[in-house]
Amino acid sequence: QSVSLTGTGTGSSATLGPNLTFNTQPLSTTSDAQDVMLTNTGTHSVAISSGPSLSGTNAGDFSISYNNCGSTLPVNANCTIHIRYTPTIAGPETATLSVTDNSGGVSGTVQSVSLTGTGGGPLASLSPNLTFSTQARAVPSSVQTVTLTNNGTNSLAISSQASTSGTNGSDFIVSANYCPAILGPGGSCNINVRFDTRFSGPEGATLYVTDNS
């Protein structure tokens, strides 16, 4: 003879949320705070053993500006963590906010949410790398073009126009430079380069532009 036996265990249970996404924020300025909440959804108090804390690739650009989570969170209660974002680099950034508690009756349970933001500012790229065909000495090559692009949300200030450097820098000549002193968001400009060798054999150099990216 047999009967089925069923039961429901009760205990501490907590949730942390939501994940946060910050709007594009100008570099070195601080966003308004966004809130993350730790909520006790169980039938026993939640013991918070550590946190909240920030980790991840760009954790230093996110900050906890307010936290009223103590060491114990009563049944049906919640506590609030304010997060602010102060980007130091242009482009996307990520971090993780974590709290360690005994949710589910398991000590050391880590609750976490993701934090994302985008630093607004100039973000430059210079491409492509150039390879010239074999060239007779003292006969300038055809022009090849390098493009400088501002992929950011702020204007790019070019403080030093295109020039070449390196072991054979003098054999690579900037024949035309169409880049202005200020390149707006989404803008691009071209730099023309020729190869005028004085030697036999492979040569190399670097083309560079100095800006505020």
Side-chain angles (χ1 to χ4, degrees):
Q1 307 293 326
S2 64
V3 295
S4 63
L5 306 175
T6 61
T8 301
T10 62
S12 58
S13 180
T15 60
L16 184 69
N19 297 321
L20 300 183
T21 299
F22 290 84
N23 293 328
T24 298
Q25 185 71 25
L27 296 182
S28 301
T29 65
T30 301
S31 72
D32 292 333
Q34 293 194 40
D35 294 347
V36 174
M37 297 187 71
L38 180 67
T39 303
N40 184 349
T41 58
T43 57
H44 288 70
S45 294
V46 171
I48 300 172
S49 55
S50 69
S53 61
L54 297 166
S55 62
T57 304
N58 308 114
D61 283 1
F62 297 86
S63 61
I64 299 169
S65 59
Y66 174 79
N67 167 36
N68 69 350
C69 296
S71 59
T72 301
L73 188 63
V75 176
N76 296 324
N78 56 56
C79 59
T80 303
I81 305 159
H82 292 180
I83 305 296
R84 295 182 184 270
Y85 174 49
T86 308
T88 59
I89 60 173
E93 300 192 81
T94 61
T96 300
L97 174 72
S98 301
V99 175
T100 303
D101 56 40
N102 66 336
S103 183
V106 180
S107 180
T109 297
V110 178
Q111 315 277 349
S112 63
V113 295
S114 64
L115 311 175
T116 61
T118 300
L123 183 62
S125 64
L126 189 65
S127 64
N129 296 320
L130 301 182
T131 300
F132 291 85
S133 300
T134 300
Q135 193 68 28
R137 281 183 289 178
V139 179
S141 70
S142 298
V143 164
Q144 292 196 43
T145 300
V146 173
T147 300
L148 176 67
T149 303
N150 181 2
N151 301 299
T153 57
N154 289 28
S155 292
L156 180 73
I158 300 171
S159 56
S160 176
Q161 292 289 350
S163 58
T164 57
S165 66
T167 304
N168 308 114
S170 61
D171 283 1
F172 295 86
I173 301 165
V174 177
S175 59
N177 179 9
Y178 300 103
C179 292
I182 301 294
L183 187 62
S188 62
C189 58
N190 291 335
I191 302 162
N192 292 347
V193 182
R194 293 181 184 272
F195 176 44
D196 189 0
T197 182
R198 296 170 296 159
F199 306 100
S200 296
E203 297 188 64
T206 300
L207 175 76
Y208 66 91
V209 175
T210 304
D211 54 48
N212 67 334
S213 178

